[in-house]
């Protein structure tokens, strides 16, 4: 693993794309109320270079677009064109960053004002041929004191045939899709149902108003096939579910694990669950005093081992759930910024006899905490690419 230092770097606000660069977004208000324009930039850490994509084309943040495969070169974005009065045309494009080829993949006429008042749309790019759309609509609770996007409809869109196929599966249609994460080439983790931690929904919604939450496996090919065949019961393999007295604030894919939080709001208790997708075994940790998302445990997979980060009297330690003990710790003078590729990126300050203390950055290797690199400078971020390199950004 190569450790490279990027000097005079800016604060990274984006995610790794195609394993080699960062895709960043910048937003500005547009002429449409409640809809922003968006500029896309790619940041190449090898050259400390930031380039704007398609600067001559006005792009809008109208859809929340998620491409399941982050290793491809395609960027999806939307434009808006006025047709007449309040009627607009929304067009979705596919842009290949490497070849610079651009093509429209979807177009629809809508009233943009709907997106300011009561509607939003998610788009899951399943592959080069199919996209799964989910429209979400505002719904008030029974006492009309709280509202959220709790009504859903979905359709599968075939790019080649320009064909929409509605989703009729009750689980997806009623509970909605919160997230889809790619596990391998054709298998995904799908989280359905909305969580009750956000905005303390557990205290604002009745039992009849909340959704059934599920964390499941789904085969992408099977999902597409079942929707095309208008199946009312899409084949999924559910590993856990929650309803009313329990909720899932998040579910993430970390290596060979699905890591998720299961909270019981009434007793303010959290279970952090590590589900091994290979062995189907689970490892669980209990966390108390959960009142909001900020109280949830920090979970890690380090050296293929489940860990929970602890902060006790200002000292950071990592609790090994296999050994049932904290076997990694850092003094209160050090701040663990992140853990990537089994390496701890730690910032601190070097004391001087005269003048101000100087900021430092250090890299330690798991499990023996061997010091691999130390550098003066203020930590700005870290990028781990698919090319066996870690780029540490400093100011």
């Amino acid at each position: 693993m190569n450790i490279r230092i990027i000097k005079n770097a800016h604060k990274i606000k984006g995610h790794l794309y195609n394993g080699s660069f960062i895709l960043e977004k910048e937003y500005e208000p547009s002429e449409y109320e409640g809809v922003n324009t968006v500029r896309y930039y790619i940041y190449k850490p090898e050259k400390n270079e930031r380039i704007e994509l398609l600067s001559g084309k006005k792009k809008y943040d109208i859809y929340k677009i998620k491409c399941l495969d982050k290793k491809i070169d395609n960027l999806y974005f939307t434009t808006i064109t006025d047709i007449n009065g309040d009627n607009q045309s929304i067009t979705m494009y596919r842009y290949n960053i490497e070849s610079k080829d651009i093509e429209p993949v979807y177009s629809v006429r809508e009233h943009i004002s709907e997106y300011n008042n009561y509607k939003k749309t998610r788009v899951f790019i399943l592959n080069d041929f199919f996209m799964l759309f989910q429209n979400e609509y505002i719904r008030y609770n029974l006492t009309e004191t709280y509202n959220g996007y709790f009504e859903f409809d979905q359709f599968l869109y075939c790019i080649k045939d320009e064909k929409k196929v509605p989703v009729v599966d009750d689980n997806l249609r009623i509970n909605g899709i919160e997230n889809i994460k790619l596990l391998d080439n054709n298998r995904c983790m799908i989280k359905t149902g909305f969580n009750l931690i956000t905005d303390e929904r557990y205290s604002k919604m009745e039992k009849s108003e909340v959704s059934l939450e599920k964390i499941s496996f789904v085969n992408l090919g099977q999902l597409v096939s079942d929707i095309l065949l208008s199946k009312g019961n899409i084949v999924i393999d559910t590993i856990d579910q929650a309803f009313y007295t329990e909720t899932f604030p998040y579910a993430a894919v970390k290596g060979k694990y699905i890591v998720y939080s299961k909270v019981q709001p009434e007793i303010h208790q959290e279970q952090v669950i590590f589900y091994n997708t290979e062995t189907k075994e689970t490892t669980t940790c209990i966390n108390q005093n959960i009142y909001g998302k900020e109280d949830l445990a920090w979970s890690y997979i380090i050296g293929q081992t489940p860990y929970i980060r602890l902060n006790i009297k200002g000292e950071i330690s990592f609790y090994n759930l296999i050994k049932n003990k904290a076997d990694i710790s850092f003094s209160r003078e050090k701040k663990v910024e992140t853990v990537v590729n089994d390496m701890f990126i730690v910032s601190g300050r070097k004391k001087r006899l005269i003048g101000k203390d100087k900021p430092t950055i250090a890299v330690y290797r798991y499990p023996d905490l061997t010091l691999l690199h130390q550098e003066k400078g203020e930590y700005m971020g870290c990028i781990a690419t698919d090319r066996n390199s870690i780029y540490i950004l400093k100011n």
Side-chain angles (χ1 to χ4, degrees), residues 313-365:
K313 296 182 179 180
E315 293 189 355
I316 300 297
S317 61
F318 291 81
Y319 191 87
N320 186 321
L321 296 184
I322 302 301
K323 296 181 179 179
N324 288 319
K325 67 176 183 178
D327 56 9
I328 299 169
S329 61
F330 294 88
S331 64
R332 65 183 61 191
E333 291 82 16
K334 296 178 180 178
K335 179 183 178 182
V336 179
E337 299 286 356
T338 188
V339 183
V340 292
N341 295 344
D342 298 340
M343 297 185 193
F344 297 86
I345 315 301
V346 178
S347 64
R349 302 196 73 82
K350 184 177 182 180
K351 293 185 178 181
R352 305 176 67 191
L353 294 175
I354 301 175
K356 294 182 178 180
D357 296 347
K358 289 290 185 180
T360 61
I361 305 167
V363 181
Y364 298 91
R365 183 177 59 198

Side-chain angles (χ1 to χ4, degrees), residues 17 49 89 97 122 149 169 204 279 285 311 336:
Y17 219 75
E49 182 180 64
S89 173
I97 297 172
R122 298 183 197 231
Y149 292 91
D169 175 84
K204 301 173 182 177
T279 66
C285 177
N311 188 345
V336 179

Side-chain angles (χ1 to χ4, degrees), residues 139 141-142 174 194 205-211 243-244:
R139 187 189 78 195
N141 63 353
L142 291 174
I174 296 173
F194 54 86
M205 303 182 74
E206 299 296 331
K207 188 174 183 178
S208 61
E209 299 177 283
V210 304
S211 65
F243 179 70
Y244 193 48

Side-chain angles (χ1 to χ4, degrees), residues 19 38 49 52 58 92 94 112 132 138 161 200 217 231 240 257 264-265 267-268 286 289 296 328 333 342 353 383:
V38 57
E49 182 180 64
E52 184 176 0
K58 197 169 185 178
M92 188 170 166
R94 176 164 58 200
I112 295 301
L132 182 59
I138 286 285
D161 299 334
E200 297 182 357
F217 294 119
K231 284 193 175 183
D240 205 349
Y257 286 89
Q264 293 177 271
I267 61 174
H268 309 292
I286 302 297
N289 300 317
L296 299 176
I328 299 169
E333 291 82 16
D342 298 340
L353 294 175
I383 304 167

Side-chain angles (χ1 to χ4, degrees), residues 125-267:
I125 311 298
L126 304 182
N127 52 39
D128 288 342
F129 310 103
F130 292 98
M131 302 185 292
L132 182 59
F133 282 72
Q134 175 170 275
N135 294 316
E136 306 174 9
Y137 305 95
I138 286 285
R139 187 189 78 195
Y140 278 85
N141 63 353
L142 291 174
T143 58
E144 297 189 352
T145 57
Y146 177 74
N147 67 71
Y149 292 91
F150 305 137
E151 297 284 352
F152 311 95
D153 67 61
Q154 303 101 357
F155 63 86
L156 184 72
Y157 185 76
C158 177
I159 296 173
K160 181 179 179 181
D161 299 334
E162 299 181 4
K163 179 183 177 182
K164 290 183 180 180
V165 180
V167 174
V168 297
D169 175 84
D170 283 343
N171 175 40
L172 301 187
R173 185 178 56 83
I174 296 173
N175 299 310
I177 303 169
E178 187 172 270
N179 206 354
I180 305 178
K181 293 273 192 177
L182 194 64
L183 291 169
D184 50 42
N185 291 334
N186 200 39
R187 193 171 57 142
C188 293
M189 181 274 292
I190 182 169
K191 162 67 169 66
T192 54
F194 54 86
N195 78 78
L196 301 179
I197 290 294
T198 300
D199 297 336
E200 297 182 357
R201 291 170 180 162
Y202 57 85
S203 65
K204 301 173 182 177
M205 303 182 74
E206 299 296 331
K207 188 174 183 178
S208 61
E209 299 177 283
V210 304
S211 65
L212 173 63
E213 298 177 66
K214 292 183 179 182
I215 297 173
S216 312
F217 294 119
V218 64
N219 181 287
L220 271 185
Q222 184 75 51
L223 175 66
V224 170
S225 176
D226 285 351
I227 296 175
L228 290 175
L229 293 172
S230 298
K231 284 193 175 183
N233 188 15
I234 290 174
V235 176
I236 62 172
D237 180 14
T238 299
I239 62 173
D240 205 349
Q241 64 182 39
F243 179 70
Y244 193 48
T245 58
E246 297 178 321
T247 186
F248 299 131
Y250 72 84
V253 175
K254 299 183 180 182
K256 63 182 180 181
Y257 286 89
I258 293 177
V259 183
Y260 61 97
S261 170
K262 191 173 188 176
V263 172
Q264 293 177 271
E266 287 186 353
I267 61 174

Side-chain angles (χ1 to χ4, degrees), residues 265-395:
E266 287 186 353
I267 61 174
H268 309 292
Q269 180 176 283
E270 174 192 23
Q271 292 183 66
V272 185
I273 301 168
F274 297 79
Y275 179 89
N276 189 314
T277 59
E278 295 178 357
T279 66
K280 299 184 179 180
E281 296 176 342
T282 59
T283 305
T284 303
C285 177
I286 302 297
N287 188 24
Q288 305 288 354
N289 300 317
I290 306 301
Y291 292 88
K293 285 188 175 181
E294 66 278 2
D295 300 318
L296 299 176
W298 291 32
S299 58
Y300 297 85
I301 300 296
I302 310 173
Q304 300 187 29
T305 301
Y307 275 89
I308 295 294
R309 176 171 169 163
L310 305 175
N311 188 345
I312 302 175
K313 296 182 179 180
E315 293 189 355
I316 300 297
S317 61
F318 291 81
Y319 191 87
N320 186 321
L321 296 184
I322 302 301
K323 296 181 179 179
N324 288 319
K325 67 176 183 178
D327 56 9
I328 299 169
S329 61
F330 294 88
S331 64
R332 65 183 61 191
E333 291 82 16
K334 296 178 180 178
K335 179 183 178 182
V336 179
E337 299 286 356
T338 188
V339 183
V340 292
N341 295 344
D342 298 340
M343 297 185 193
F344 297 86
I345 315 301
V346 178
S347 64
R349 302 196 73 82
K350 184 177 182 180
K351 293 185 178 181
R352 305 176 67 191
L353 294 175
I354 301 175
K356 294 182 178 180
D357 296 347
K358 289 290 185 180
T360 61
I361 305 167
V363 181
Y364 298 91
R365 183 177 59 198
Y366 174 86
D368 52 4
L369 296 186
T370 300
L371 179 62
L372 300 180
H373 184 86
Q374 193 163 20
E375 182 90 11
K376 292 181 181 179
E378 181 183 357
Y379 176 84
M380 298 295 290
C382 179
I383 304 167
T385 72
D386 289 347
R387 296 176 180 174
N388 295 319
S389 294
I390 291 179
Y391 295 88
I392 297 176
L393 287 64
K394 76 169 192 175
N395 197 356

